[in-house]
Every structure is written in structure tokens, then in C-alpha cells.
Amino acid sequence: ELQSLRHLVCRLLLEKNKTAGIINIALSILIGIMLDNHLNIMVMGISGGILGIYLCNRAEQRNALVWAGLVVSCVNYMSIFSLEMMTSGGWLSSLKVSTWGIGSGLLAGVFLIGTLPIWENLFGIVTPIKLMELSNPNHPVLKRLLMEAPGTYHHSIIVANLAENAAEAVGADGLLARVGAYYHDIGKLKRPLYFRENQIATGNPHDKLNPTLSTHIILSHAKDGVELAKKYRVPKVIQDFILQHHGTTAVAYFYHKAKEMNNGDKIHIDDFRYVGPKPKKKETAIVMLADTVEAAVRSIPDPTPGKVERLIRKLIKSKMEDGQLDDCHLTLKDLNTIANAFSGVMTGVFHERIEYPNTEEN
């Protein structure tokens, strides 16, 4: 049991909740010292607190917080009862004292559910429950995206599936990657018809513009997306996906078009790059790769699993050689895993269909 508890503590301290774990241990020890070195309080606070942090780490529904409170209550009860039996040896007194542990766990769960929105807004914390709320299709931004830019909305859904699958494969936060992918292109709402996926039964307005102006419109969708996210109070962690999902990549199409129109004179590729920054987390880097892969694979004529996988690996290698993945701590092994995950999803999306024969109704 001690070995299992030690493993749990180490796992907690290595994850993103290490601050909560350290504070919980420190407070439990201090409160125990304040109460005349009460060992029961220390053990209950440390064991129940660490377990509560662990259970709430991936809680995506509010009911999960209630269950976490119940589990913590049971652990508190067992901890106090065991220690009381070791010190006093009386069954009745041990049972009576242990009931305080049940009450503390239940009250902690109720208090957390009632005050969670306050802490989220006060400190800008984005919990899994908050991410689930942001992923709701009825969110005003997502509803606008569906109605005003349906092509971009569909593109974002596919990118979200790719990103979540790949993120979970490399041990990153799949839910965060999914929600970030939902919002990464909301800046296209400002000029939806200037993006290819929304040009349904309409001409391409870029045909009438010079490459410099077209590039400015394309590049500005990241900045426009952040402004829109701030308007709708989308958290900062999701705004990072909007800013970083292109990194400092160049808009190659308009760069080459400008070179052709100007015969290659005084055209610098840096003028056609996004301002960045480059992805800083694994999740934002995965969304960048998923965004690139989805757009490119869609353009393959007669896609086959072999063609899809080769293109995916080529695109990932290109991003790596361009330096877009320098700041996100993805290893070569991670990139190979991501490529395999992308291949599985995209092969499913572009699966071969049965050709139905023409039949006449009687």
C-alpha cells in the first residue's frame, strides 16, 4: 500500500497538478502541527487531498466531482479509523471520530461544485469541465462558424478528430487539442469567402487581387481570431491555438504567384510568413500538423492508404525542417506516432466506397 501511495504521489508531482499536490501536503502538515501535532489530520489531509486531486484531474462532468468527494470521504474514514484503532484500540470511539472524515469529503465535493466557476473566472483556470463547455456546438462562436463558414466548420471538426487521436497517442491532453482545433480558424469568420473551403458555387475573389493583398487577408485570420475569441471570452489557452496553429509558416501559393508576376525581383519569403509565434506546447503543434494534413490530403486525387501516409509523413518532415516544431518538445518518436495516428484517421475519412449499379424502379 505504501508503495502504491508513493507511486501515486510521484505520478501526481510529475503532472500538471504538482502545484496542487505540494500545497495540499504543506497545508496538511501545517494544520496538523497547529492542532498539537495531530497525526490523524495530517494523514487524512495528505491521503484524501492527493486522491481528490488525482480523481479531479480528468473530470469532464460535474457528477465526477461528486463521486470524487464520495471516494475521498471513504479514504478519510479509513485513514482516521485505522489510526484511531492503532492508538486507542476502541471500536466505538474510532467509529465516532471517523465520521468527521466522511463529512469533510462530502462537504469538499459540494463546495468545489458550487465555487468552481468562481475560481475558473478569477484565476483564468481552464478545467476539463470548462473545456467540455467550450466544445458545445451551441457556443456562440461555433454556431456562427457553422452558419457563416460551413466549410471551415467541417474542416475544424476533422482537424479536431485528428488532433485528439494524435495527442492521446503521445500522452498529451486530447481534450485540450480537440477544443483548440474547434476554435483555431474562427478568424475566418471575418472574411469567410476568401478561404477555399467556403467557396462553394462561387468564384475565387483572390483571382481579382494582387498576391500581396491576398497574403495580408490570409495572414490576418490569426489576429482576427484572437480578437473574436476575446470578444466571446474564450480562455487564453485556446487563444494560443489560434495564434500558433500556423507558427511562422509561409503562404507558399501567393509567394510563388508574386514571384511569377514580378519575375522574382524584390520578393522575400519572410514577407509572406505568419507572425507566429511557433507552437509552444505539444497540443498546439499537433493542431498545426493536423490542420496542414487535413487540407493537403483533401486535395489528393484518388486517395489510397499508401498515398495518404506518404503525404502525411512528407508534410510533418517539412514542418520539422522549417523549424516550426523547435519549441514544442515533440520527439522524433512522437512525430512517428502522430503520423501513424493521422494515417489511421484520414484513411477512415477517405475510405473506399462501393460503386452502386444503376437500378430502375418497377
Side-chain angles (χ1 to χ4, degrees):
E1 292 179 356
L2 290 174
Q3 185 67 25
S4 300
L5 180 60
R6 189 181 300 111
H7 176 73
L8 181 62
V9 172
C10 292
R11 181 177 177 182
L12 177 67
L13 295 179
L14 289 174
E15 292 181 352
K16 63 182 180 180
N17 291 308
K18 61 183 180 180
T19 303
I22 292 171
I23 292 175
N24 171 71
I25 293 172
L27 287 177
S28 299
I29 294 174
L30 288 174
I31 292 173
I33 293 173
M34 291 170 62
L35 297 175
D36 297 328
N37 297 321
H38 206 301
L39 183 62
N40 290 0
I41 298 296
M42 292 185 189
V43 174
M44 184 192 73
I46 293 174
S47 59
I50 289 178
L51 182 63
I53 294 167
Y54 177 74
L55 292 175
C56 294
N57 183 30
R58 298 288 183 179
E60 298 178 1
Q61 303 291 336
R62 296 191 185 275
N63 289 340
L65 301 180
V66 177
W67 286 108
L70 290 173
V71 173
V72 170
S73 296
C74 295
V75 172
N76 290 346
Y77 179 85
M78 294 172 62
S79 300
I80 298 175
F81 181 78
S82 301
L83 290 169
E84 284 293 321
M85 286 293 294
M86 292 172 60
T87 54
S88 65
W91 285 90
L92 186 60
S93 61
S94 299
L95 289 173
K96 185 183 298 184
V97 174
S98 301
T99 55
W100 290 103
I102 296 178
S104 66
L106 291 175
L107 287 175
V110 173
F111 179 78
L112 175 60
I113 293 174
T115 61
L116 185 60
I118 298 175
W119 309 124
E120 288 177 340
N121 294 317
L122 186 61
F123 297 103
I125 301 170
V126 179
T127 62
I129 293 175
K130 181 66 174 180
L131 291 175
M132 291 298 295
E133 293 174 356
L134 289 169
S135 68
N136 190 333
N138 289 319
H139 191 282
V141 177
L142 298 183
K143 286 183 71 173
R144 280 191 60 190
L145 198 65
L146 174 61
M147 300 303 297
E148 300 174 29
T152 299
Y153 181 84
H154 179 264
H155 160 75
S156 298
I157 296 297
I158 303 298
V159 171
N161 291 333
L162 286 166
E164 182 179 38
N165 194 38
E168 291 178 350
V170 298
D173 191 336
L175 179 59
L176 176 61
R178 168 175 283 276
V179 177
Y182 284 154
Y183 289 83
H184 80 283
D185 267 347
I186 60 173
K188 293 180 180 180
L189 281 170
K190 190 169 184 178
R191 305 177 187 88
L193 294 180
Y194 283 88
F195 297 89
R196 184 62 181 168
E197 66 267 22
N198 299 314
Q199 295 168 3
I200 304 173
T202 61
N204 188 347
H206 290 289
D207 294 339
K208 302 176 182 178
L209 302 177
N210 64 66
T212 302
L213 182 56
S214 293
T215 300
H216 175 73
I217 293 173
I218 298 298
L219 297 182
S220 64
H221 86 270
K223 182 188 68 174
D224 295 337
V226 172
E227 293 176 357
L228 195 60
K230 290 179 179 179
K231 176 182 177 182
Y232 286 94
R233 297 183 180 179
V234 176
K236 175 66 168 58
V237 67
I238 304 300
Q239 295 178 27
D240 291 340
F241 285 88
I242 301 172
L243 275 179
Q244 299 175 19
H245 77 276
H246 281 297
T248 58
T249 306
V251 185
Y253 178 82
F254 292 113
Y255 167 66
H256 290 294
K257 186 176 179 180
K259 285 182 66 176
E260 292 175 0
M261 293 179 63
N262 293 272
N263 295 321
D265 296 335
K266 297 181 181 179
I267 301 297
H268 302 286
I269 193 169
D270 290 340
D271 296 332
F272 293 81
R273 289 186 179 275
Y274 286 89
V275 295
K278 297 176 182 179
K280 304 297 182 184
K281 296 180 179 179
K282 290 184 178 181
E283 292 82 5
T284 51
I286 290 171
V287 169
M288 166 194 273
L289 297 174
D291 181 40
T292 303
V293 164
E294 197 280 335
V297 172
R298 185 189 296 272
S299 65
I300 298 179
D302 189 23
T304 62
K307 286 183 180 179
V308 169
E309 184 172 359
R310 283 193 295 273
L311 179 60
I312 288 172
R313 292 186 179 278
K314 179 182 177 181
L315 293 170
I316 292 176
K317 182 180 179 182
S318 175
K319 291 292 184 185
M320 183 177 65
E321 291 176 346
D322 193 34
Q324 301 303 319
L325 306 178
D326 290 350
D327 302 333
C328 62
H329 309 294
L330 286 173
T331 65
L332 292 176
K333 183 179 179 181
D334 290 337
L335 294 178
N336 181 63
T337 303
I338 291 169
N340 291 332
F342 284 170
S343 298
V345 174
M346 295 309 294
T347 301
V349 171
F350 293 99
H351 63 276
E352 185 178 355
R353 297 182 180 273
I354 298 173
E355 185 176 351
Y356 292 93
N358 287 329
T359 57
E360 297 181 0
E361 294 182 0
N362 293 327

